[in-house]
């Protein structure tokens, strides 16, 4: 099962590229840093700093000893709709398993719930929408 989430928030940077960005519009590092802080406050083992990808940011965390990754990026808006954040969950697996689709298999529902509960309970997250489909 592959889990994906979208949401909106006015709290995070969506317009000012930072020096450490791989691409000028790979926003999401501050969202990932906030999620790390919140996960750790809930007792979840999470890496101390977010990572950067060419599409946005990510964070690594472990639930039940199983390593996971939550990746997210900004989906630009248009005249009719505001920009939103899109995120998805993966397992942290080795190189060979990655080649055979291992990142999409075995995502723990508890790992998804750990991030989902934080998003759902935050006063500054809105329009939270979930999608899942077989990997």
């Amino acid at each position: 099962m592959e889990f994906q989430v979208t949401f909106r928030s006015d709290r995070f940077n969506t317009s000012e590229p930072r020096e450490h960005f791989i691409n000028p519009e790979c926003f999401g590092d501050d969202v990932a840093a906030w999620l790390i802080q919140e996960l750790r406050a809930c007792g979840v083992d999470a890496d101390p700093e977010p990572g950067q990808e060419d599409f946005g940011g990510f964070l690594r965390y472990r639930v039940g000893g199983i390593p996971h990754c939550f990746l997210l990026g900004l989906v630009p808006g248009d005249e009719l709709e505001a920009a939103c954040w899109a995120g998805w969950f993966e397992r942290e697996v080795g190189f060979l398993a990655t080649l055979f689709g291992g990142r999409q298999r075995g995502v723990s529902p508890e790992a998804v719930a750990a991030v989902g509960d934080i998003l759902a309970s935050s006063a500054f997250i809105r329009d939270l929408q979930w999608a899942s489909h077989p990997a």
Side-chain angles (χ1 to χ4, degrees):
M1 190 71 71
E2 188 173 323
F3 298 94
Q4 301 170 346
V5 63
T6 60
F7 59 93
R8 290 188 169 78
S9 178
D10 297 325
R11 178 175 178 176
F12 305 108
N13 178 27
T14 60
S15 60
E16 294 181 32
R18 297 193 173 132
E19 196 171 293
H20 63 272
F21 282 7
I22 294 172
N23 291 321
E25 295 184 3
C26 59
F27 301 101
D29 61 327
D30 55 346
V31 183
W34 169 73
L35 283 168
I36 287 170
Q37 177 184 355
E38 295 297 312
L39 285 166
R40 289 177 146 212
C42 294
V44 175
D45 180 21
D47 285 1
E49 297 292 327
Q52 180 92 139
E53 277 287 351
D54 58 353
F55 55 80
F58 67 91
L59 61 112
R60 290 185 174 106
Y61 65 109
R62 287 144 299 283
V63 173
I66 301 169
H68 287 80
C69 190
F70 181 65
L71 304 99
L72 71 152
L74 184 66
V75 178
D78 56 28
E79 300 99 35
L80 301 175
E81 201 165 327
C84 73
W85 295 100
W88 61 99
F89 298 83
E90 293 183 347
R91 282 281 313 277
E92 282 285 307
V93 296
F95 177 72
L96 190 57
T98 296
L99 291 176
F100 292 100
R103 288 183 173 273
Q104 284 72 44
R105 288 194 299 272
V107 173
S108 160
E110 292 83 9
V112 174
V115 171
D117 290 348
I118 292 167
L119 294 173
S121 66
S122 174
F124 52 83
I125 300 295
R126 64 185 190 284
D127 301 333
L128 187 63
Q129 295 184 13
W130 289 92
S132 63
H133 56 83

